[in-house]
Amino acid sequence: MTITINGQQVAVPSDPRVSLLDLLREHLHLGGSKKGCNQGACGACTVLADGERILSCLALAVQYEGRSVVSIEGLSPDGSLHPLQHAFIEHDGYQCGYCTPGQICSAVGMAGEAKRGLPSAVTADLAADAVQLTHDELRERMSGNLCRCGAHNGIIAAIADTFGRPAVAEAAE
Amino acid sequence: MSIIDTVKQAATGMMVKLTPDAPPDPLIARKHGALGTSVPRIDGPRKVRGKAQFAAEVPAENMTYAALLYSTVARGRITALDTAATEAVPGVVFVMTHRNAPRLKPPALFQTDPRAAGASSLPVMQDAEIHWNGEPVAIVLAETQEQADHAKSLITVAYQAEPARLSFAEAATQSHQPPNVMGEPAMIQVGDAEAALAGAAFKVDLTFRTPRHSHAAIEPHAATVWWDGDQLVVHDTTQMLHQERWTLAGIFGIPEESIRILSPFVGGGFGGKGLWSHQILAVAASKLSGRPVRVALSREGVFRIAGGRTTTEQRVALGAKADGTLAALIHTGIVAMTEHNNCPEQFTFPARHLYAADAMLLEQRVAEMDMLANTFMRAPGESIGTFALETAMDELAEAMGIDPIELRRRLEPEKDPTSGHAFSSRNILEAYAKGAERFGWDKRSPVPRSRREGEWLVGMGVATATYPYYRMPGAAARVTLTRDGHARVAMASHEMGMGTATVQAQAGADRLGLPVENVTFEYGDTLLPAGTIAGGSSQTASIAAAVTAASAKLVADLLKRAGNDSPLAGLSADDVEARDGGLGHRDGGDRFESYASILGRAGLEEVSAEAEAPPPMEVMSYSMHSYGAQFCEARVNAVTGEVRVSRFLGSFDTGRILNPRNATSQFRGGIIMGLGLALMEETEFDERSGRVMNPSLAEYHVPVHLDVPEIDVIWTDIPDPHAPLGAHGIGEIGITGVGAAVANAIYSATGKRVRDLPITLDKLL
């Protein structure tokens, strides 16, 4: 029984209580996924499971047997930076850096949701094939990722720059 | 020429007049260095890759994981404690309670000694007595966190509960002045303020209430600790490295030198990351078990054992004369505290320095309660003090029928109203003017509830921001110059997101005349020269002063080593300046020698100097504060009472801005925490049980992305000639004034004054 984590086959832990987050942090020493609350309230532990963003603190590792998980360490495995990571630096989308990996993974997952046309609470046209990532859409869709340093403006600017610039420019008019 | 340029020019002239003793930092006048540019954060690539290692991620061989059990009564004694079932759980390594804990001295309380870090002076797990609801009563170590958490749940504890002081109103009846408030008198009286108030032409007399707040840093408190024989290693997340080392040494009765504390990254601090009981318990349990310990507090644990901002009740009474100046300024109130800590939440400090008034009464009182020790949280006092004072100013302006900015203009003092000192640098009216223009303040209607867009009532509010300039004594820095033209600047200081290493590399580069990419700043380790705390927005100035001293020593040493064959021969340290990778005559002529050349001739690979900063005499001679004007546009739903902050602008006067990009982020961060203070944050304290009722990020609400509009930040950028680098710290001023700006905007929108925080929708219906 294995999970694919950042492209590597990893044995499912023998203790079924081990969360996906603790598997990453304590068993594999992949400390990039952060534990901010361990209650699904802050988003710092967000990783991608088969491309979808999930809260790894609320996921038992054994549930992910046979699935493919990407954490911040696997987002750009060859040592280069993902365009969104570049944009976070450019827009100062962080201060302490603790919520940052979760924000980045969450935004990557979020962009996929928008592309697939999944509506949010602020989407006007629920039937549209794709969602325009306006400033409000980005803020609503990223609200599950808390930041306490107050880097919100930089985070949203970085995400807009990477995934939604044309739409956001219109919304700002 | 803009108003700002005019003031800058005037300020340049003032430098000569106001500083007969110490000339301003020469870097203030240097225009083309690294300072003042938006150098990207040096640690940015690590942070976005998830490669910045925090305290709970430090590996150790043979690690054990800790779980803490917290008391469920506020006052009383443990009468029975059964850990047998816990000890039988597979994987459990050790269980510590007051019965087997080592004898420990109480922590030295913060501020009782410059080296003290204790958030509370209560002994940690030394007897059966309980002092607050949530006090740790047991620590369980196990091979895995899962085992420790489960095993902890099997401990049974019985308590003999005793009467506890849990009602703030009742405790307030026994309130008293503390001996001092941050070293200042608890009460300041000028004239007879009550009589002046009674006879004033216009007056307001108001009561404000503010709740407890939690720092809610996204990184919970955590430490990874181990003993190597008599040597203790603590990987912590802390804002006070050397202070924590000294305090731990006292608690455990060991030499300071036998302890090393490392804290390269702090996942948000805001005043909360100090020495609490978990580090002490982990160190003790590690000693007894002989195993490394990782203690990573659960989010609930943070609320149970790491205190936050306390609750206050404040009175602000303002009496104005017919000409619009103040006859009376009264700001008094009571805060909840414990006997075991000393954070009296200095909410009267803004009123001590902001406004001219004929008579003043400023008094702080404390009421002791049986609760977790409260502590410093971003702009302690100033954040909630400005909420009360600046809301009252808005109410006074309305009573007088004048614009609130015009009221501030009339009340601008010529010198510090309570100390009598000259201001080192104060351009608050310029900040107001610039902010008002950019925000479009002239479009605000003085009549409340006069703008409606569909369901939304729209209003604008303004308030003053202010925070003191502090520079902490006791800092030392080491500057090392290498033959290849690189430098390492080192001090055991802290990075919690402020950009410490980046800005100090910029400052070091300009100080030494090197390109910024050739300078690294080392921090976060007690093996480095002792740093000061990351608190009071003081760290940048404290480091800069020490680096200046060390650099001067280094230059003197280099001149000595340069010898008679150097173009610099015969020049004294006062004659030369660092530039272009070496030292040159101040006259700008061609007497210059590169560091590489000096070191090469001396046959040295590197040269190093260490020095302590001079004491912060500047604050003895001048009133040194930062200022700002906070502008808010709020929308209140006429049907539901929901509040949306749609626009916000902060216009700041904080000396020279060292890194515009980092500064923007820090100001915004303060403002956003201020939005939380205004609209949603409250640590709910059950006055029946003394228990915090919302110990989670699901129920302690902080601003999320959708709550945060694009925040505009501008500044005067006028250097303070008396501060190192001409700069003031900017970590805390951002939160000040925000509560009032929001409350005043809500009043403008709705006609409703809310004087108890947070301003939730139920208070607007």
Side-chain angles (χ1 to χ4, degrees), chain B residues 353 416 423-425 466-469 623-627 653 728:
Chain B
H353 309 288
D416 189 288
F423 294 115
S424 64
S425 178
T466 186
Y467 192 80
Y469 162 91
S623 173
M624 297 182 74
H625 294 82
S626 290
Y627 307 96
D653 176 48
H728 291 184

Side-chain angles (χ1 to χ4, degrees), chain B residues 97-113:
Chain B
T97 69
H98 70 276
R99 292 174 180 160
N100 61 343
R103 293 305 96 194
L104 304 173
K105 295 205 179 65
L109 183 60
F110 184 64
Q111 289 183 334
T112 54
D113 185 291

